[in-house]
Amino acid sequence: MKDVARKDMPLVVNIPTTGLAKYITDMAKQHNIAYVKTFADEWADTITKLSDDRVGVESDDIEDLLLALKRVEILNAEDMLSLLVNYLREKYGECDARRN
């Protein structure tokens, strides 16, 4: 696990390599944070649709929570990306802590 200093807490928190969905959900609940789609999010969705992107880039609820936690500065960019990478590795069956 990688040690991460969160902006709102003086303590160092370990980012897990498994159980990320629960970890992220619990963090959002602890800080009473929910994802709210912004105008920029709507704009990006529209551009993606207009570009005829067959693959489609759609975030799930956990990825949206990470974005919300970053927006209110509970997480800094590096911490958010570390959590996102670990979450996606776990989600798609490629969880390997040595890659951090």
Side-chain angles (χ1 to χ4, degrees), residues 46-57:
T46 300
I47 295 301
T48 299
K49 289 175 188 170
L50 290 173
S51 70
D52 198 27
D53 185 359
R54 301 257 185 245
V55 176
V57 178

Side-chain angles (χ1 to χ4, degrees), residues 4-74:
V4 175
R6 294 214 341 248
K7 185 175 183 172
D8 66 331
M9 299 176 78
L11 303 174
V12 173
V13 179
N14 289 324
I15 290 182
T17 56
T18 60
L20 274 296
K22 181 173 177 10
Y23 181 84
I24 294 163
T25 301
D26 288 350
M27 184 185 304
K29 284 179 185 174
Q30 175 187 357
H31 294 281
N32 199 27
I33 301 300
Y35 171 75
V36 176
K37 190 174 261 195
T38 66
F39 175 78
D41 297 331
E42 292 286 348
W43 179 83
D45 289 345
T46 300
I47 295 301
T48 299
K49 289 175 188 170
L50 290 173
S51 70
D52 198 27
D53 185 359
R54 301 257 185 245
V55 176
V57 178
E58 293 186 30
S59 58
D60 65 19
D61 292 342
I62 302 302
E63 294 168 74
D64 290 342
L65 281 177
L66 278 172
L67 181 58
L69 288 163
K70 166 65 177 85
R71 284 179 175 164
V72 297
E73 298 183 343
I74 300 297

